[in-house]
Amino acid sequence: MECIKLFDRFIADPITSTLPEIISFDEKFINRNICENGYSFIIVDWLNVKIVDILSSRHLNKLGDYFSKISLKSRSNVKYITMDMYDTYLRIAKTYFNNAIIAVDSFHVLQNLIRAFDKVRIRIMKKHDNGADNLDDNTREYYLLKKGSDLLYKLNGELGTTRKHYRKLNMWISDRTLVRYITDISPELKQAYWLMQEYLEFNRCSTYDEAKIEIDELIDKFYNSKINSYMEFAKTISTWKEYILNSFIIIFDETRNKYRRLSDGPIEGLNAQTEKININSNGFKNFKLFRKIVIYKINKNILFRL
């Protein structure tokens, strides 16, 4: 307790006065006692992978109050913003950052796609469930859909060819062959799988100019699949299309001397560090102290008070 008091006394409170050219928005569940609904709002310097600031709420009015107090000059300096598909963040970005290009993180788009595919897989799997508690005692179809589910979300071309033994099937087969057996269970599942593969390949390999053409073709394919969850996914990427396309923009990072695609990668890494700090503290009871400790531990550039 004395260490915390000394830290709070001699470490200056972080103040946000200027914003970097590229920032990321995200939320992190911390504690309902110190954050509104338990979620903090985190702003990250994308290029330098440092925390710009942490707020105790992600609600629209609180974020609006915060950004309205930052000078227009500083906000005009921001050229790019990365975020997930949360409407509040989009409204804030469009209201307070008129010069910024907004990019939706591709990982969050893929999460939506995987959830859409999973609805198909689980629905078909339930049809083949005989109620057995032991997986090996269930049907062959149920076994395959359960056992091989993780393989379905990988790029097909990257699946291994080394054979493994599956007791239920009484044979040695590779991951690629196992996926083929799984998708052969249902024409709908096969259609859903290869459509997902097409989007995964698009996300991995397309340039910005290629993506502008290909995304409309993909939207049509998902919508015309007549699979309910895929039709919903098509509506989602259609709604967020402009910002999904911006995630294909490549930025040259002079500090690291390499090109980087716009994403929430840096902020996700810092969120993991924040989680460790929160766990090791056994939970904070004071948001100001939480904010100060996290920024101090991650940024390591907070001044001492004299």
Side-chain angles (χ1 to χ4, degrees), residues 31 276-285:
N31 187 325
K276 288 182 181 179
I277 295 169
N278 190 43
I279 291 172
N280 291 337
S281 71
N282 292 320
F284 287 89
K285 296 180 180 179

Side-chain angles (χ1 to χ4, degrees), residues 230-292:
Y230 272 21
M231 293 171 74
E232 286 299 316
F233 178 70
K235 291 177 184 177
T236 299
I237 56 176
S238 180
T239 300
W240 292 85
K241 183 174 75 169
E242 174 188 348
Y243 313 111
I244 292 172
L245 285 173
N246 289 339
S247 76
F248 287 87
I249 293 173
I250 305 296
I251 303 296
F252 182 69
D253 184 345
E254 294 182 357
T255 304
R256 294 167 179 78
N257 194 32
K258 67 177 183 179
Y259 289 94
R260 294 167 56 193
R261 180 177 166 183
L262 287 175
S263 74
D264 272 355
I267 203 167
E268 296 296 341
L270 295 183
N271 272 345
Q273 294 183 54
T274 302
E275 178 73 15
K276 288 182 181 179
I277 295 169
N278 190 43
I279 291 172
N280 291 337
S281 71
N282 292 320
F284 287 89
K285 296 180 180 179
N286 181 310
F287 175 76
K288 289 184 178 179
L289 182 62
F290 161 77
R291 171 178 174 269
K292 188 186 293 188

Side-chain angles (χ1 to χ4, degrees), residues 30-77:
I30 301 299
N31 187 325
R32 293 186 186 277
N33 295 323
I34 65 171
C35 296
E36 196 168 354
N37 292 329
Y39 284 94
S40 64
F41 175 77
I42 303 177
I43 311 164
V44 164
D45 178 343
W46 189 85
L47 279 172
N48 296 306
V49 195
K50 290 185 176 181
I51 293 178
V52 175
D53 209 344
I54 307 175
L55 281 64
S56 62
S57 173
R58 59 174 181 168
H59 285 182
L60 181 64
N61 58 339
K62 298 291 180 65
L63 299 184
D65 289 343
Y66 174 84
F67 284 113
S68 64
K69 293 174 184 175
I70 297 177
S71 71
L72 178 61
K73 181 180 179 180
S74 180
R75 286 187 275 119
S76 298
N77 181 58

